[in-house]
Amino acid sequence: MPKKTNLDWKIYESITKYIYETLGRKTGVKILGFGSNCKVPGKSGVNHQIDILTTHSDGIHSYKTAIECKYWKKKINKEIVMKVSETIEDAGIEKGVIVSKSGFTKDGAEFAKYQNIGIVELKEIGETVQDIQERQLNIGSIEISSFVTILRPEILSIEIEYFENGSIEKEIINITTISLLDGRSKPFNDYSKAFQNELHVHNKIGETITKRYEILSGGLIHKKENPPAKIKSIIFTGVLNQINSNSTRTFSLVDEVWLTMKSLFEGKSFSISENGFIVENNK
């Protein structure tokens, strides 16, 4: 597929060949010849240059089609249709198609229908098209499925062993820090994180683990204005849980429409992207 650039008649012919070649794979259409070297002798003894020559078989008979490309600013009139009709008749080609950038005049379209010449408009998408859906080409989708296992440590209880009476109590507390014997303070959350790491290191999913952290003459600070309560240890109990998560995400693949193609008699239309994707438009 020629890359998007300033079109000229040669590139236009190459694009047309690519489209017919690509669409024809499903129905057995093959390219027999293309360009200036594609010449077919006529019954008159004259060689006729054919832009694109294709062949198609229905299993019994083979049929040839001559495709004439017109990268013109003006519409195709009946004189051009007549010339194509005479060429395919003299060359013994069963079918003719005219592909035009600018469309066809009324008499050109009517005479083409009478002569059983196919007429096709192939042009760049108009600059006036603002609808994003018209400028985008849906070429498929990708579905990504993922299975994720997460190990999450959960603290089930925290027990505080007080120094004064040696008792161990379970209680809900609002703790910020632990004061140590040497005058330093340590965030209580450090002990919580250390225990959660212990659960990961132990790596026994679903098994309840208890860990005791000795506090050498430490103090438990509930609030800054209260004196620390002396404690011996903090005892954590927890479990390592396994959480399985399944997810599926679907992404649409889109490309920008570059060209539109419409077969005026058959009523079929296609959108073509710069990357060579061809999608038939819904009627």
Side-chain angles (χ1 to χ4, degrees), residues 64-250:
K64 293 179 181 178
T65 299
I67 302 173
E68 183 77 7
C69 301
K70 296 297 183 185
Y71 189 70
W72 291 0
K73 292 182 179 180
K74 63 181 181 180
K75 294 184 177 181
I76 303 304
N77 58 29
K78 65 180 178 63
E79 281 74 22
I80 299 300
V81 178
M82 186 179 300
K83 180 180 177 182
V84 172
S85 178
E86 291 173 350
T87 295
I88 64 174
E89 195 280 329
D90 186 50
I93 298 173
E94 289 79 11
K95 177 72 175 177
V97 174
I98 303 174
V99 179
S100 168
K101 166 191 172 182
S102 302
F104 300 82
T105 63
K106 182 179 179 181
D107 62 352
E110 289 177 350
F111 191 66
K113 189 172 184 179
Y114 173 76
Q115 293 285 64
N116 196 29
I117 302 292
I119 56 176
V120 174
E121 289 183 355
L122 175 63
K123 58 185 178 181
E124 293 180 274
I125 187 171
E127 295 295 331
T128 58
V129 177
Q130 300 297 326
D131 190 342
I132 189 66
Q133 292 184 344
E134 291 186 42
R135 302 193 74 90
Q136 283 188 341
L137 188 65
N138 293 319
I139 58 178
S141 61
I142 295 178
E143 187 176 274
I144 300 177
S145 299
S146 62
F147 178 81
V148 179
T149 298
I150 302 173
L151 298 180
R152 179 172 295 170
E154 179 183 356
I155 297 176
L156 301 177
S157 67
I158 302 174
E159 298 175 313
I160 306 298
E161 183 180 11
Y162 288 93
F163 191 89
E164 294 177 354
N165 54 19
S167 63
I168 297 177
E169 298 181 11
K170 291 183 180 180
E171 55 180 308
I172 300 175
I173 53 179
N174 181 16
I175 307 168
T176 57
T177 56
I178 300 292
S179 63
L180 303 178
L181 184 62
D182 59 7
R184 294 181 298 111
S185 62
K186 186 175 183 178
F188 186 82
N189 194 44
D190 286 0
Y191 294 95
S192 300
K193 289 182 177 179
F195 177 65
Q196 290 174 324
N197 288 335
E198 287 281 348
L199 291 175
H200 276 297
V201 171
H202 193 71
N203 198 27
K204 298 293 184 180
I205 298 171
E207 180 179 321
T208 301
I209 304 296
T210 298
K211 175 75 174 182
R212 178 190 179 98
Y213 293 91
E214 296 290 342
I215 309 297
L216 298 176
S217 299
L220 185 65
I221 301 176
H222 286 260
K223 294 181 181 179
K224 290 183 178 180
E225 63 270 24
N226 293 336
K230 293 182 178 181
I231 60 174
K232 288 183 177 181
S233 64
I234 305 172
I235 305 169
F236 291 91
T237 299
V239 64
L240 185 64
N241 293 319
Q242 178 175 298
I243 302 172
N244 297 324
S245 175
N246 295 316
S247 65
T248 300
R249 299 183 66 185
T250 301

